[in-house]
């Protein structure tokens, strides 16, 4: 199995410019169509030259019944969506639908305006665009994920964004998950995400996960984060296992049992249980409540016979 060690290094070095495939965007966004109607969509980490987010929403503008589409980019003011040229100017682009009835996104239908700054989502002018938007949909830099989500929460925006699964373990993000202010989307097929990277980018940080044939980088721990409701979030997890003390040992420092796999949550145990973070992909807030994350009563990592399992989320079944 390919490891993501080099990609973690890229994240730390902020060399994390990965382009989401159109098929993955289509596969996820189809679960939120009712949320998009009549809304202004902002893609604020997207250069329309290469952004499949901009492409998806512009090509499906009428089908989704959008009000407006806004995208900000750093370098290029050439409105040709397939241009690879660069420019010193950062711009934002507005699209308000097909004007001539040819069902295409034409150059003269795109309003291109220069930004005073570099297009950073934290700049004042980009925050003004954020205020105008109803829903933000994009793939933000993983290295700035905490700050990016904090801004969305501060301005009370609906969103659908991509992040690393490890973001679940960030205390700022987990707090939002526990409070049901953010949750996981439907997810990537098979749990694997494949991203394009710029032609000019170095492949060194993607060794072991970059496929020369497909020109794609593989992430095996990516997920969608959202605060848009969707059907999967309300599907009940079918439980079939019976609890036995032998199979489900208790933690040394917390009154809860260890459950190694989400599928093995016992149906006849009503106390607190420690489950892997992958449980959140199956989390139904009507079926379970999240108690806390990772730590025992002594504020140390949960342990069994002195050994600590990988990060655990402590949950409890809700009584019907």
């Amino acid at each position: 199995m390919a490891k993501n060690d080099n990609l973690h290094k890229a994240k730390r070095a902020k060399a994390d410019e990965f382009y989401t495939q159109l098929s993955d965007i289509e596969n996820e966004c189809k679960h939120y169509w009712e949320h998009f109607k009549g809304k202004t969509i902002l893609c604020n980490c997207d250069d329309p030259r290469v952004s499949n987010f901009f492409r998806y929403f512009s090509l499906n503008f009428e089908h989704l019944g959008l009000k407006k589409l806004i995208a900000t980019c750093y370098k290029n003011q050439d409105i040709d969506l397939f241009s690879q040229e660069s420019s010193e100017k950062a711009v934002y682009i507005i699209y308000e639908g097909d004007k001539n009835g040819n069902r295409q996104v034409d150059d003269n239908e795109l309003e291109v305006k220069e930004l005073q700054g570099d297009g950073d989502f934290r700049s004042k002018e980009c925050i003004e665009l954020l205020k105008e938007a109803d829903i933000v949909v994009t793939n933000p830099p993983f290295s700035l994920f905490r700050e990016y989500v904090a801004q969305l929460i501060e301005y009370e925006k609906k969103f659908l964004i991509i992040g690393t699964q490890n973001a679940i373990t960030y205390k700022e993000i987990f707090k939002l998950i526990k409070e049901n202010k953010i949750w996981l989307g439907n997810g990537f097929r098979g749990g694997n995400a494949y991203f394009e990277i710029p032609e000019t980018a170095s492949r060194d940080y993607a060794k072991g996960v970059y496929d020369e044939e497909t020109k794609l980088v593989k992430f095996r721990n990516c997920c969608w984060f959202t605060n848009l409701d969707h059907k999967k979030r309300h599907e009940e997890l079918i439980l079939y296992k019976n609890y036995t003390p032998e199979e489900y040992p208790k933690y040394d420092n917390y009154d809860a049992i260890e459950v190694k796999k989400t599928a093995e949550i016992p149906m006849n145990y009503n106390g607190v249980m420690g489950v892997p973070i992958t449980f959140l992909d199956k989390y139904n807030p009507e079926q379970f409540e999240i108690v806390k994350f990772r730590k025992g009563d002594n504020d140390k990592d949960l342990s069994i016979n002195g050994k600590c399992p990988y990060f655990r989320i402590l949950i409890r079944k809700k009584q019907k």
Side-chain angles (χ1 to χ4, degrees):
M1 180 180 293
K3 295 183 178 180
N4 285 345
D5 294 347
N6 288 307
L7 295 178
H8 295 320
K9 293 177 182 176
K11 173 176 173 288
R12 290 191 290 271
K14 298 188 178 181
D16 51 1
E17 191 174 2
F18 302 105
Y19 302 142
T20 313
Q21 292 190 96
L22 182 62
S23 58
D24 285 332
I25 297 169
E26 291 172 334
N27 190 56
E28 186 68 24
C29 284
K30 68 183 181 183
H31 300 284
Y32 309 91
W33 283 352
E34 71 274 16
H35 296 291
F36 296 142
K37 188 174 182 180
K39 298 299 193 297
T40 295
I41 306 296
L42 173 65
C43 306
N44 61 348
C45 295
D46 298 83
D47 185 337
R49 296 171 299 152
V50 289
S51 169
N52 282 319
F53 285 98
F54 185 86
R55 183 181 179 191
Y56 172 80
F57 284 110
S58 59
L59 294 178
N60 290 282
F61 192 94
E62 283 74 27
H63 177 70
L64 296 172
L66 300 182
K67 178 182 178 182
K68 184 187 292 187
L69 172 61
I70 306 172
T72 58
C73 65
Y74 286 83
K75 297 178 181 179
N76 194 338
Q77 57 182 330
D78 185 340
I79 56 178
D80 178 0
L81 298 184
F82 304 100
S83 170
Q84 294 298 317
E85 296 178 0
S86 62
S87 169
E88 292 296 327
K89 295 290 185 180
V91 301
Y92 68 96
I93 296 178
I94 297 175
Y95 180 64
E96 296 184 274
D98 184 16
K99 304 299 183 184
N100 58 16
N102 66 353
R103 299 183 181 181
Q104 294 181 8
V105 182
D106 299 315
D107 291 354
N108 59 7
E109 294 170 339
L110 296 172
E111 185 179 358
V112 184
K113 296 185 177 182
E114 289 186 2
L115 291 166
Q116 296 301 312
D118 60 3
D120 191 304
F121 69 87
R122 297 162 292 189
S123 66
K124 288 184 179 180
E125 56 188 344
C126 286
I127 289 175
E128 289 303 312
L129 293 174
L130 176 65
K131 291 177 180 178
E132 185 180 347
D134 298 301
I135 304 174
V136 178
V137 187
T138 191
N139 178 5
F142 289 178
S143 56
L144 298 173
F145 193 78
R146 291 180 179 88
E147 193 170 354
Y148 188 83
V149 172
Q151 185 187 81
L152 295 175
I153 297 298
E154 178 184 355
Y155 289 95
E156 299 181 344
K157 294 302 174 182
K158 295 295 184 181
F159 57 87
L160 176 62
I161 60 176
I162 296 172
T164 173
Q165 190 180 75
N166 287 336
I168 294 168
T169 68
Y170 303 162
K171 63 180 182 179
E172 303 91 340
I173 303 300
F174 186 80
K175 181 178 183 292
L176 296 171
I177 292 173
K178 184 177 183 295
E179 295 172 352
N180 277 314
K181 293 180 179 178
I182 179 174
W183 46 85
L184 298 192
N186 278 262
F188 292 92
R189 293 185 182 91
N192 294 318
Y194 295 85
F195 297 93
E196 300 172 5
I197 57 177
E199 288 292 331
T200 56
S202 168
R203 302 297 191 263
D204 293 340
Y205 63 81
K207 287 181 180 178
V209 289
Y210 177 72
D211 189 318
E212 288 287 352
E213 185 174 339
T214 64
K215 309 298 182 185
L216 298 175
V217 175
K218 178 181 178 181
F219 273 66
R220 58 182 173 84
N221 64 345
C222 275
C223 49
W224 293 85
F225 292 85
T226 188
N227 57 0
L228 297 170
D229 202 15
H230 57 87
K231 185 178 178 181
K232 181 182 176 183
R233 186 169 178 255
H234 301 284
E235 293 177 353
E236 186 163 320
L237 180 63
I238 304 301
L239 308 177
Y240 67 94
K241 294 274 289 187
N242 283 305
Y243 165 75
T244 65
E246 295 76 23
E247 190 171 359
Y248 298 94
K250 284 200 169 186
Y251 296 110
D252 304 327
N253 52 348
Y254 198 86
D255 185 15
I257 61 171
E258 159 76 356
V259 180
K260 294 181 180 180
K261 298 179 180 179
T262 300
E264 296 178 354
I265 294 174
M267 61 181 177
N268 59 340
Y269 189 83
N270 295 321
V272 180
M273 302 170 278
V275 295
I277 61 174
T278 51
F279 159 81
L280 290 178
D281 189 48
K282 304 291 185 182
Y283 173 46
N284 176 345
E286 295 144 12
Q287 186 180 13
F288 297 97
E289 66 173 306
I290 296 175
V291 177
K292 63 184 300 189
F293 176 60
R294 185 177 175 180
K295 302 292 185 180
D297 289 327
N298 58 358
D299 205 34
K300 294 183 178 180
D301 285 348
L302 296 166
S303 64
I304 301 173
N305 297 324
K307 295 182 178 180
C308 299
Y310 191 65
F311 299 144
R312 290 292 187 261
I313 298 173
L314 293 168
I315 65 168
R316 182 191 291 115
K317 284 191 298 180
K318 287 187 174 180
Q319 299 302 309
K320 296 185 178 180

